[in-house]
Amino acid sequence: MRRLCLVSVMLAFFITGVVSAAAQEIIKLPTPKTEGGMPLMQALKERKSSREFAPEKLPLPVLSNLLWAAWGVNRPDGHRTAPSARNSQEIDVYVAMSDGLYLYQPKQHQLLKALAEDIRAVTGTNDYVKGAALNLVYVADLTRGNLKEPAAIEFYTGADTAFLAQNVYLFCASEGLSVVVRGSIDRAALAGKMKLRPDQKITLAQSVGYPKK
Ligand SMILES: Cc1cc2nc3c(=O)[nH]c(=O)nc-3n(C[C@H](O)[C@H](O)[C@H](O)COP(=O)(O)O)c2cc1C
């Protein structure tokens, strides 16, 4: 009888674990390729904003490399590819794609599904955003770090986001991808769609995809 109980507890734990993992819908990203690419000076020479996108999706290894370049963990102590004021690490990167909205989790290097809906069109007021393979949405989580004064919040969350966005620009230059960073966003509409909390603030967005041929 006791053995039966133990088995049922283990079974329940296993099933619950599986159910919650399934409900969470995680995409484990392949290990990023952290070597190679275009020489830095050449990438700087090629960096530019482009607003024309082909509809093809980015293959998972390219998405993995892009997100690692943007905001991945690059040292054993958990520091990232971009700096952040007081090492607040307050910026979250959301990825809006045709099959839904995902949150990039740098420590696990994985994507957590946040919405099963294509919200690309809501990520900006420019017409081209709905046709980009993906739109990154940068969101500052104001509960993280120690950013209290309004001026510090405005300045540092903007500055911190800009470092990620430039990493993405350089990665895209190296990979031959089209990219543009964007401030023109209906933030209230997008925050509502993304179901953000009041202490989460959208800073910028960035469209990425293959160039239109
Ligand atoms: C903070 C910021 C906000 C921007 N917002 C938009 C935008 O909403 N829509 C857009 O098409 N481009 C936007 N851009 C891209 C600029 O228009 C672009 O960087 C500028 O024209 C210079 O072109 P380049 O990036 O090719 O050098 C933004 C750039 C920055 C830095």
Side-chain angles (χ1 to χ4, degrees), residues 47-51 125-126 128 169 179-185 204-205:
R47 191 223 57 91
K48 63 173 190 281
S49 297
S50 312
R51 296 173 182 81
T125 59
N126 297 106
Y128 58 77
Y169 262 115
V179 56
V180 58
V181 72
R182 301 183 283 99
S184 181
I185 302 164
L204 291 170

Side-chain angles (χ1 to χ4, degrees), residues 128-149:
Y128 58 77
V129 305
K130 60 178 181 294
L134 63 92
N135 287 282
L136 303 174
V137 181
Y138 298 111
V139 176
D141 183 336
L142 305 178
T143 63
R144 258 180 249 152
N146 193 20
L147 306 174
K148 296 277 182 279
E149 327 82 79

Side-chain angles (χ1 to χ4, degrees), residues 82-134:
S84 61
R86 302 171 194 158
N87 192 27
S88 303
Q89 301 189 358
E90 82 283 16
I91 305 300
D92 281 322
V93 181
Y94 285 84
V95 189
M97 298 188 281
S98 58
D99 63 325
L101 177 74
Y102 296 83
L103 169 66
Y104 175 52
Q105 297 183 307
K107 283 192 189 103
Q108 303 89 338
H109 195 59
Q110 66 187 18
L111 288 171
L112 175 67
K113 197 163 202 170
L115 276 182
E117 191 188 337
D118 183 356
I119 64 155
R120 288 175 297 168
V122 194
T123 66
T125 59
N126 297 106
D127 202 40
Y128 58 77
V129 305
K130 60 178 181 294
L134 63 92

